[in-house]
């Protein structure tokens, strides 16, 4: 069993096609415009409409200006849980990122490595999302996945819940959004 305490907050940002613009808005909201050394939070992006997107931000202790809700989550070996996860569907090989071959196999491998088994994927909606920053651009291949799985390693699951799963967490990917028990 692993019980963790954390904080979450919800706020809105302007919807942008370029994920880097959303990233900048989230970073500015977190630091209130001040520079900071390292991103220690994770966040999830849900588009509300053409104008606004909802951001759920999570960290063990968020800044007070978010008016965060303090929460507790318990992960117990053998428990079956349902969650939604936005995950970057790429593999890194020889210094390059490439889209995964079979999405289901990739998700099974990634989730098993983070303490899950008996993984059932109910839904996977994929999006190609551009990230453009000055002279550099890339595309994120994101799958928004609805999963039902059994906890095999509560410590690994707790770590993934707090720190995120996979790549591109700085762009709102990798945040596990648990459904109510």
């Amino acid at each position: 069993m692993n019980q963790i305490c954390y904080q979450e907050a919800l706020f809105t940002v302007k919807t942008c096609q370029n994920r880097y613009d959303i990233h900048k808005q989230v970073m500015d909201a977190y630091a209130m415009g001040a520079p900071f050394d390292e991103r220690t939070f994770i966040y999830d992006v849900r588009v509300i409409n053409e104008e606004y997107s909802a951001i759920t931000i999570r960290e063990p202790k968020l800044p007070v200006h978010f008016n965060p809700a303090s929460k507790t989550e318990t992960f117990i070996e053998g428990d079956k849980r349902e969650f939604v996860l936005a995950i970057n569907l790429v593999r890194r090989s020889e210094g390059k990122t490439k889209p995964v071959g079979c999405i289901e196999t990739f998700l099974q491998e990634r989730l098993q490595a983070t303490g899950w088994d008996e993984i059932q994927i109910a839904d996977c909606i994929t999006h190609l999302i551009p990230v453009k920053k000055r002279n550099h651009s890339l595309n994120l291949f994101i799958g928004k996945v609805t999963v039902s799985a059994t906890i095999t390693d509560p410590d690994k699951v707790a770590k993934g819940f707090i720190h995120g799963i996979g790549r591109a967490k700085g762009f709102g990917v990798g945040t596990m959004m648990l459904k109510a028990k």
Side-chain angles (χ1 to χ4, degrees):
M1 180 174 91
N2 189 322
Q3 185 175 52
I4 56 172
C5 299
Y6 64 98
Q7 293 185 325
E8 269 186 356
L10 182 66
F11 63 99
T12 57
V13 297
K14 290 189 178 198
T15 297
C16 304
Q17 294 301 314
N18 180 0
R19 187 55 72 98
Y20 180 70
D21 292 337
I22 290 177
H23 165 81
K24 285 192 318 190
Q25 291 178 76
V26 171
M27 298 299 270
D28 286 346
Y30 184 87
M32 296 181 65
F36 65 100
D37 295 331
E38 183 181 4
R39 181 191 50 76
T40 56
F41 59 87
I42 57 173
Y43 66 97
D44 185 63
V45 180
R46 283 167 290 153
V47 175
I48 298 169
N49 56 36
E50 289 182 15
E51 195 171 353
Y52 293 103
S53 291
I55 304 297
T56 301
I57 188 168
R58 180 183 305 144
E59 186 174 49
K61 184 150 180 59
L62 286 166
V64 294
H65 67 268
F66 279 116
N67 193 23
S70 293
K71 298 182 175 189
T72 303
E73 191 63 56
T74 303
F75 299 104
I76 301 170
E77 186 175 348
D79 273 4
K80 192 167 188 82
R81 302 296 294 270
E82 291 184 39
F83 56 93
V84 176
L85 173 69
I87 191 160
N88 194 13
L89 299 170
V90 298
R91 289 190 188 277
R92 196 150 184 76
S93 175
E94 299 171 9
K96 297 183 179 189
T97 56
K98 300 174 186 174
V100 299
C102 176
I103 293 173
E104 188 167 340
T105 299
F106 175 79
L107 291 169
Q108 294 275 347
E109 290 170 359
R110 185 64 61 149
L111 292 172
Q112 284 174 342
T114 55
W116 298 96
D117 203 2
E118 300 175 19
I119 300 158
Q120 297 176 335
I121 299 161
D123 193 21
C124 180
I125 301 168
T126 59
H127 305 278
L128 192 62
I129 299 176
V131 177
K132 295 178 182 153
K133 178 182 175 184
R134 292 184 204 100
N135 297 333
H136 181 72
S137 67
L138 60 103
N139 288 310
L140 298 175
F141 184 45
I142 297 175
K144 194 81 159 189
V145 186
T146 303
V147 176
S148 174
T150 301
I151 297 171
T152 57
D153 188 330
D155 294 335
K156 286 183 179 178
V157 170
K159 182 180 177 187
F161 182 77
I162 287 295
H163 299 292
I165 297 172
R167 300 181 144 295
K169 292 183 281 284
F171 294 107
V173 180
T175 306
M176 184 189 318
M177 304 300 292
L178 294 172
K179 294 187 176 186
K181 289 185 181 179

